[in-house]
Amino acid sequence: MYSINKLKKDETYSIIHYTGFICILLGLLMLVPVSVALIYGEYHYIMPFVYSAVISIVFGFILYKFFKNTQEISLKSAMIFATIIWLVASAIAALPFYFSGDLSYLNSYFEAISGLTTTGFSMYNNLDAVSYTMNFWRGFMQWFGGIGIIVMALTILSSPSINVMRMYSAEGREERLVPSIRHTTRIIVYIYMGYTVFSIILFLLAGMSLFDAIFYAFSALSTGGFATHNASLGFYHSIWIEIAAMIVMVIGATNFAIHYAVLKGKWREYFKDIETKVAYSLMIIGTILVAVFLYNGTYYGHDFLLSLRYSLFQVVSALTTTGLQTASGSEISYQWEGMGIFVLTIVMMVGAGACSTGGGIKWLRIGILIKGMWWQIKSLLLPKNAVISHKIHHVDELKLDNEVLRLTGLFVFSYLLIYMVSVIIILFYYQNVPQVMFEVASAMSNVGLGSGLMTASSPAVTKVVFMADFWIGRLEIWPILLLTVILIQNAVRK
Amino acid sequence: MYSINKLKKDETYSIIHYTGFICILLGLLMLVPVSVALIYGEYHYIMPFVYSAVISIVFGFILYKFFKNTQEISLKSAMIFATIIWLVASAIAALPFYFSGDLSYLNSYFEAISGLTTTGFSMYNNLDAVSYTMNFWRGFMQWFGGIGIIVMALTILSSPSINVMRMYSAEGREERLVPSIRHTTRIIVYIYMGYTVFSIILFLLAGMSLFDAIFYAFSALSTGGFATHNASLGFYHSIWIEIAAMIVMVIGATNFAIHYAVLKGKWREYFKDIETKVAYSLMIIGTILVAVFLYNGTYYGHDFLLSLRYSLFQVVSALTTTGLQTASGSEISYQWEGMGIFVLTIVMMVGAGACSTGGGIKWLRIGILIKGMWWQIKSLLLPKNAVISHKIHHVDELKLDNEVLRLTGLFVFSYLLIYMVSVIIILFYYQNVPQVMFEVASAMSNVGLGSGLMTASSPAVTKVVFMADFWIGRLEIWPILLLTVILIQNAVRK
Ligand SMILES: [K+]
Ligand SMILES: [K+]
């Protein structure tokens, strides 16, 4: 009846043009670690970054210059751009890892996409031996990846589950998309910078060195979760550092539209928001369940406070999809097996706040579905002519229609379908079901909590599945399905 | 704004009246095993059934006589009736197990509700030692439980996910509900009886004794899955019996509205139906995945045909939610750990056909959601003014609106929520995550495939959770949530 829209030549050129722009930006950002190499005297790390920067800038410049954007980019093109850009940016951000000789190109790509999507799985065998320069690059990547995620969520994906909604209504205002992205980006960068400074100060006060404070501010605020030690944050054995990290992680996982409202003085918005309610309910229930479980085990010496401390940190890390951990991978896969690993898996799947740096299904969607269940029961009980108002409070007072509920339900179903397929593929290589379910949830929700399964020595296929999951989870599924169909469609026509 | 509808006194009386009717019916059915006891000379099993029958009939008669149905029952009342009747009927059907001294009352209740909901978990420690009379009662319970399920699904719950839909439109035709139930029941009983005779003949041809052929016809057609041996159907080591069982299980798990169409000569309906496509896709994919997994293991001696045979039978049993097994519980929990147990768990959750004797999320709902995903991608690709027809073929050519997609999404979410809570409770008692996930899925989807976790010696709390899951799964969630809210509401008002 209707033929599927192909991308017009103009649109394709615009997409390439903006891709070039991002490559140039990335190239410039690569010059920052050079100063770190100079400060710490790691001179042999200078050239890898210089080479990478030159390649990125030249490559980006060619795309930028020779593929002019002849028209304002449409929202559909913007979605396709967002889908491709993570792959391209990762390919480029991977270069310093590869040129320095630290990692193979596959592993470099893994490290880069894990960083940019703020997932946090690492391909370094021994994190304690990584240079300052490369660590800075790892943290820095997550930091600016985080900005990219928020901007993308607020403009292109819009609020999840309300996203496609907005897209429809946005078709008419195509001309305003780029200025809107520029405007949003400016505000987000200001807020994000402010929180970064705040986080660095917090980590310094908690007793970290300046380098570590900067690194973990990057890592925690972006809910990235890269660490500079094999033991992750457990290395410090410091309750203050753990508290600081939890505060920063919660900031990073909170909707930046709410941050904006709160910073504008409307602090009540935070407490009224449906996301806040979902998040704290889950945090409390999850923490108690895991704490009781750990207390009943022997590993934490039947010490309830210690069990609570480990439980709370890991649950907050999972719920904010950060992935910093105080319990080691082998602790999680052996001592936490049972309630511990199951609850963490669920909490990771639920994920963080919408329009934050976090991943997962999102607190908003879970809130909408729980409300939807309640509305459904009410509609069964009330007389037929009763009108049930489908209202939630999220940044604003929102009225939801069946369309939003349909999309939210479909999103969760799609998420679970892709999750299931990923688990099945990984099960060809690893047999420990709870561990596989845990790590795939960790990958798809961009968490990065590890139990020791995904390492540099894992089979290439499993790495590719994980990378695909980082990407799919980060893009919130639909744009990827969209791109897939377009590619197949175009291939068929040729 | 609107107050929640309380049940009127008239409606309550009608519910009690029909409950009495079912009790009388159940009492009469209890007299059938008496003839079995006479045939096999198990005379000490006669009185338990006579006592139980007398109690049921007298109790039922009191309810039936003193609580007159003064008005036609409304659909909401019918839903509440359906919700309560499984609990009451199980309490009564449990009596012979208790009076015979075979089981404690809790275990008798478990056996009865497991039978009537056609789940198939058993509280007998040693099935090989169970008397003919009690075995007959176990099989017979599943057989007429199966009829009850189909009738309920076709009239009160209607086609899943379209159920609540119909309920709305049904408000206006309250007066026709009881005649409609009578009419449907008559047709179902004829078809079901026919298939029962066919199944008995099939099992006899496959080499079973008459008693076993009758028992397994009851057990397989009702997708109940009770067995007369600890090794379930594995006892026979017969490929013919396995093939016969698979055919009967698939019949039982197929929508009886489709059966009706096929028997009326419209056999093409079977192949056109969305459920058929979902079911066979899943059967093929699931069987291959598990077969490859078993083949790679050592237990089936790297024999691909043997692996395929075990895989196919267990997958069909899971997909039809029957629960007969040729692999033992310990085989499943040890040899199948990994891909095997994971795939079976997923297949069990998906469950059987709508309006069949099977349980689970249902093939129809999965089909609707997969179609929903496809429609969503299409709507992103097509121009804004394009109209996408949301059509599926299920018994008839159906056009789905957002309402159906919303309800289907919410159903899956509710199913998973209750599943998750059940798993968490069981995890307090058992730590093996895949095994707990497997058995809870088995309980909630009324499958009854066992891995050795739920036995007569399991803690009472876990038994209660399982029974609740049988009940919730069988009623397809909404009526139970409805009843819960009404009970809370009434309690608050008093
Ligand atoms: K992360
Ligand atoms: K069953």
Side-chain angles (χ1 to χ4, degrees):
Chain A
M1 194 156 58
Y2 293 89
S3 71
I4 283 176
N5 272 356
K6 272 185 71 170
L7 273 183
K8 293 186 209 97
K9 197 179 150 198
D10 281 1
E11 284 180 293
T12 313
Y13 277 23
S14 296
I15 291 173
I16 298 174
H17 175 81
Y18 286 110
T19 304
F21 175 75
I22 297 289
C23 291
I24 297 171
L25 195 68
L26 213 52
L28 295 173
L29 290 171
M30 278 175 184
L31 298 174
V32 181
V34 172
S35 59
V36 177
L38 287 170
I39 292 167
Y40 288 96
E42 296 172 342
Y43 302 115
H44 56 296
Y45 279 106
I46 293 175
M47 288 323 285
F49 278 95
V50 173
Y51 290 145
S52 307
V54 170
I55 293 174
S56 312
I57 293 169
V58 170
F59 176 68
F61 189 77
I62 293 169
L63 299 188
Y64 187 76
K65 205 69 197 168
F66 292 93
F67 295 86
K68 271 281 171 212
N69 66 324
T70 43
Q71 61 168 25
E72 251 287 340
I73 200 160
S74 75
L75 202 80
K76 191 171 78 182
S77 308
M79 280 176 90
I80 290 164
F81 167 72
T83 313
I84 293 168
I85 197 65
W86 295 101
L87 299 182
V88 175
S90 301
I92 286 173
L95 294 177
F97 297 110
Y98 182 63
F99 288 152
S100 68
D102 275 18
L103 301 172
S104 73
Y105 191 74
L106 178 68
N107 287 358
S108 300
Y109 195 93
F110 187 102
E111 194 78 11
I113 197 169
S114 175
L116 286 175
T117 59
T118 74
T119 306
F121 279 101
S122 182
M123 282 292 111
Y124 277 99
N125 278 319
N126 183 7
L127 285 176
D128 293 284
V130 178
S131 62
Y132 284 100
T133 314
M134 293 318 288
N135 264 341
F136 182 83
W137 181 235
R138 294 169 73 235
F140 194 45
M141 259 191 338
Q142 296 209 312
W143 184 79
F144 60 74
I147 297 181
I149 289 156
I150 303 167
V151 171
M152 176 181 74
L154 280 167
T155 56
I156 300 171
L157 302 184
S158 274
S159 179
S161 76
I162 310 178
N163 51 6
V164 193
M165 212 74 350
R166 295 236 178 113
M167 214 197 73
Y168 282 119
S169 62
E171 292 282 358
R173 56 171 175 85
E174 285 177 11
E175 67 292 349
R176 294 195 285 118
L177 189 63
V178 171
S180 137
I181 291 176
R182 277 205 198 107
H183 177 71
T184 308
T185 309
R186 195 168 313 130
I187 295 171
I188 295 305
V189 169
Y190 286 145
I191 300 176
Y192 199 74
M193 292 264 192
Y195 279 131
T196 306
V197 173
F198 170 78
S199 306
I200 294 173
I201 293 170
L202 214 57
F203 279 122
L204 285 172
L205 289 175
M208 273 190 179
S209 70
L210 181 63
F211 182 87
D212 283 10
I214 294 172
F215 180 91
Y216 283 105
F218 287 169
S219 166
L221 184 63
S222 69
T223 67
F226 268 152
T228 54
H229 301 286
N230 294 325
S232 187
L233 225 65
F235 171 84
Y236 298 97
H237 293 291
S238 156
I239 184 93
W240 297 111
I241 287 178
E242 288 166 30
I243 291 170
M246 286 191 283
I247 293 169
V248 179
M249 293 191 286
V250 169
I251 291 173
T254 302
N255 193 320
F256 271 68
I258 299 179
H259 278 307
Y260 187 61
V262 169
L263 294 172
K264 282 230 159 189
K266 295 188 223 152
W267 55 269
R268 280 202 191 149
E269 284 300 322
Y270 184 68
F271 299 98
K272 278 161 80 183
D273 204 281
I274 189 172
E275 288 209 306
T276 308
K277 288 167 192 165
V278 170
Y280 286 92
S281 311
L282 246 166
M283 197 191 287
I284 293 166
I285 296 168
T287 302
I288 292 172
L289 285 173
V290 176
V292 168
F293 167 77
L294 294 179
Y295 175 74
N296 287 333
T298 53
Y299 194 74
Y300 298 96
H302 298 294
D303 178 337
F304 190 74
L305 277 179
L306 194 68
S307 304
L308 195 66
R309 176 175 162 186
Y310 275 88
S311 167
L312 180 66
F313 191 88
Q314 260 60 229
V315 167
V316 170
S317 180
L319 189 65
T320 59
T321 71
T322 309
L324 292 171
Q325 48 198 99
T326 55
S328 72
S330 68
E331 245 168 277
I332 287 177
S333 71
Y334 293 110
Q335 315 304 333
W336 291 51
E337 202 187 330
M339 183 80 82
I341 206 164
F342 183 78
V343 170
L344 281 187
T345 304
I346 299 292
V347 170
M348 289 196 297
M349 291 173 102
V350 169
C355 299
S356 72
T357 61
I361 290 171
K362 300 284 151 68
W363 301 335
L364 177 58
R365 289 201 179 91
I366 300 295
I368 288 174
L369 289 173
I370 289 171
K371 282 273 184 181
M373 278 177 69
W374 174 237
W375 294 329
Q376 183 54 34
I377 298 166
K378 250 173 133 177
S379 82
L380 291 172
L381 283 162
L382 293 178
K384 195 174 146 54
N385 58 335
V387 178
I388 299 156
S389 93
H390 291 189
K391 272 190 201 150
I392 63 161
H393 195 93
H394 174 59
V395 188
D396 203 342
E397 199 73 31
L398 298 178
K399 226 182 141 181
L400 304 186
D401 54 10
N402 278 350
E403 182 74 358
V404 173
L405 281 162
R406 174 183 70 87
L407 283 170
T408 311
L410 278 183
F411 177 86
V412 172
F413 182 72
S414 316
Y415 180 100
L416 293 174
L417 210 60
I418 296 169
Y419 174 74
M420 196 190 71
V421 172
S422 306
V423 167
I424 286 173
I425 300 173
I426 305 296
L427 280 174
F428 276 107
Y429 300 90
Y430 295 96
Q431 256 89 67
N432 186 331
V433 177
Q435 200 186 19
V436 171
M437 290 184 67
F438 177 85
E439 294 233 349
V440 173
S442 185
M444 247 195 100
S445 290
N446 302 108
V447 183
L449 275 176
S451 67
L453 185 142
M454 176 50 60
T455 65
S457 49
S458 294
V461 174
T462 63
K463 288 179 191 169
V464 172
V465 170
F466 268 52
M467 287 190 275
D469 284 344
F470 302 164
W471 182 55
I472 294 168
R474 181 45 75 205
L475 268 292
E476 310 208 346
I477 299 167
W478 295 115
I480 294 187
L481 294 179
L482 185 70
L483 181 71
T484 313
V485 175
I486 287 179
L487 290 177
I488 293 170
Q489 205 72 21
N490 285 354
V492 168
R493 296 221 184 141
K494 267 162 202 166
Chain B
M1 193 156 60
Y2 294 89
S3 71
I4 284 175
N5 273 356
K6 273 184 72 169
L7 273 183
K8 293 188 210 94
K9 197 178 150 196
D10 280 2
E11 285 180 293
T12 313
Y13 277 24
S14 295
I15 291 174
I16 297 174
H17 175 82
Y18 286 111
T19 304
F21 174 76
I22 296 291
C23 292
I24 296 171
L25 195 67
L26 212 52
L28 294 172
L29 291 170
M30 278 175 184
L31 297 173
V32 181
V34 171
S35 59
V36 178
L38 286 169
I39 292 167
Y40 289 94
E42 298 173 339
Y43 303 116
H44 55 296
Y45 279 107
I46 294 175
M47 288 324 286
F49 279 94
V50 173
Y51 290 146
S52 306
V54 170
I55 292 174
S56 312
I57 293 168
V58 170
F59 176 71
F61 189 76
I62 292 170
L63 299 188
Y64 187 76
K65 205 69 198 167
F66 293 94
F67 294 86
K68 272 281 171 210
N69 68 324
T70 43
Q71 61 168 26
E72 251 288 340
I73 202 161
S74 74
L75 202 80
K76 190 171 78 181
S77 307
M79 280 176 89
I80 290 165
F81 166 72
T83 313
I84 292 168
I85 197 65
W86 295 100
L87 299 181
V88 175
S90 302
I92 287 172
L95 294 176
F97 297 109
Y98 182 64
F99 287 151
S100 68
D102 274 17
L103 300 172
S104 73
Y105 191 73
L106 177 69
N107 289 357
S108 301
Y109 195 92
F110 187 102
E111 195 79 10
I113 195 167
S114 175
L116 286 176
T117 60
T118 73
T119 306
F121 279 100
S122 181
M123 283 291 112
Y124 276 99
N125 278 319
N126 184 5
L127 285 175
D128 292 284
V130 178
S131 62
Y132 284 100
T133 314
M134 293 319 286
N135 265 340
F136 181 83
W137 180 234
R138 292 169 73 236
F140 193 46
M141 258 191 338
Q142 296 208 312
W143 184 79
F144 59 74
I147 298 181
I149 289 157
I150 303 168
V151 171
M152 177 179 75
L154 280 168
T155 55
I156 300 172
L157 302 184
S158 274
S159 180
S161 78
I162 311 177
N163 50 6
V164 192
M165 211 76 348
R166 296 237 176 113
M167 213 197 74
Y168 282 120
S169 64
E171 292 282 356
R173 54 167 178 89
E174 285 178 11
E175 67 292 348
R176 293 193 286 117
L177 190 62
V178 170
S180 138
I181 291 176
R182 277 205 199 107
H183 177 71
T184 307
T185 308
R186 195 169 313 129
I187 295 171
I188 295 305
V189 169
Y190 287 143
I191 300 176
Y192 199 73
M193 292 261 193
Y195 280 130
T196 306
V197 173
F198 170 78
S199 306
I200 293 172
I201 293 169
L202 213 57
F203 279 120
L204 285 173
L205 289 175
M208 274 190 180
S209 70
L210 181 63
F211 182 87
D212 283 9
I214 294 173
F215 181 91
Y216 282 105
F218 286 172
S219 167
L221 184 63
S222 68
T223 68
F226 268 151
T228 54
H229 301 286
N230 295 324
S232 188
L233 225 64
F235 171 85
Y236 297 96
H237 294 288
S238 156
I239 186 91
W240 298 111
I241 287 178
E242 288 166 29
I243 291 169
M246 286 191 282
I247 293 169
V248 179
M249 292 192 286
V250 169
I251 291 173
T254 302
N255 192 322
F256 271 68
I258 299 179
H259 278 307
Y260 186 62
V262 169
L263 294 172
K264 282 230 157 189
K266 296 187 222 153
W267 55 269
R268 282 207 190 145
E269 284 300 322
Y270 183 68
F271 298 97
K272 278 162 77 183
D273 204 281
I274 189 171
E275 287 209 305
T276 308
K277 289 168 192 164
V278 171
Y280 285 93
S281 311
L282 247 164
M283 196 190 288
I284 293 166
I285 296 169
T287 302
I288 292 172
L289 285 173
V290 175
V292 168
F293 167 78
L294 294 180
Y295 175 73
N296 287 332
T298 53
Y299 195 73
Y300 299 96
H302 298 292
D303 178 338
F304 191 74
L305 276 180
L306 195 68
S307 304
L308 194 66
R309 175 175 164 185
Y310 276 88
S311 168
L312 180 66
F313 190 88
Q314 261 61 229
V315 168
V316 170
S317 180
L319 190 66
T320 58
T321 72
T322 308
L324 291 173
Q325 48 199 100
T326 55
S328 72
S330 69
E331 246 167 276
I332 287 177
S333 70
Y334 293 110
Q335 316 301 336
W336 291 51
E337 204 187 329
M339 184 81 81
I341 206 165
F342 182 79
V343 169
L344 281 186
T345 303
I346 299 291
V347 170
M348 289 196 296
M349 291 174 103
V350 169
C355 299
S356 72
T357 61
I361 290 171
K362 301 281 153 68
W363 301 334
L364 177 59
R365 288 200 179 92
I366 299 295
I368 288 175
L369 289 173
I370 288 171
K371 283 271 186 185
M373 277 177 69
W374 174 237
W375 294 328
Q376 182 54 33
I377 297 168
K378 250 173 133 178
S379 82
L380 291 172
L381 282 164
L382 293 177
K384 196 175 144 57
N385 57 336
V387 178
I388 299 154
S389 93
H390 291 189
K391 273 189 198 149
I392 62 164
H393 195 94
H394 174 59
V395 189
D396 203 341
E397 199 73 31
L398 298 179
K399 226 184 139 178
L400 304 186
D401 54 9
N402 278 348
E403 181 75 359
V404 173
L405 281 162
R406 174 182 70 88
L407 283 169
T408 311
L410 278 182
F411 178 86
V412 172
F413 182 73
S414 315
Y415 180 99
L416 293 174
L417 208 61
I418 295 169
Y419 174 74
M420 194 190 71
V421 171
S422 306
V423 167
I424 286 174
I425 299 173
I426 305 296
L427 280 175
F428 277 107
Y429 300 90
Y430 294 96
Q431 257 88 67
N432 187 331
V433 177
Q435 198 186 22
V436 170
M437 290 183 69
F438 176 84
E439 294 233 348
V440 173
S442 183
M444 246 194 101
S445 290
N446 302 107
V447 182
L449 275 177
S451 66
L453 186 143
M454 176 51 60
T455 65
S457 50
S458 294
V461 174
T462 63
K463 287 179 191 170
V464 172
V465 170
F466 268 52
M467 288 190 274
D469 284 342
F470 301 164
W471 183 54
I472 293 169
R474 182 43 77 204
L475 269 292
E476 311 208 346
I477 300 169
W478 296 115
I480 293 189
L481 294 179
L482 186 72
L483 181 71
T484 313
V485 175
I486 288 179
L487 290 178
I488 293 170
Q489 206 71 22
N490 285 355
V492 168
R493 296 223 182 138
K494 266 162 199 164

